[in-house]
Amino acid sequence: MAKAEFAMIEPLLQQLASDGQITFTVRAHPGAKQTKFKSIMADGALKIDLAAAPEDGKANQLLISYLAELFTVAKANIELLSGETSRIKQIRVQR
């Protein structure tokens, strides 16, 4: 994880460590050239580019894999609470 990425999600990592789970919003951008964390938006949502098409759940699966890597948890610990067919998604990560 790049130093800038770590600095932006550090509060989420700390909350995950202390509470055992976190829930947050993701603004996904499927069809991007590469998968990467872009920024934290004004409303607190994580903006993430996804290098997968938004079809047949490919972008959602890539998002789950990427978030598992970002938060260093198993993919099974990432839950898509809402937004399966939307760019705005509610995510829960458990330790």
Side-chain angles (χ1 to χ4, degrees), residues 3-57:
K3 190 174 182 179
E5 284 179 331
F6 179 78
M8 285 191 265
I9 67 160
E10 186 174 16
L12 291 174
L13 292 169
Q14 290 173 350
Q15 184 181 354
L16 179 60
S18 67
D19 297 347
Q21 72 174 17
I22 53 174
T23 303
F24 56 90
T25 302
V26 168
R27 169 84 166 136
H29 178 235
K33 287 188 178 187
Q34 66 182 43
T35 299
K36 64 181 178 177
F37 175 79
K38 294 283 284 191
S39 64
I40 296 181
M41 301 178 72
D43 63 0
L46 304 184
K47 187 174 183 182
I48 299 176
D49 283 352
L50 299 169
E55 52 193 39
D56 300 325

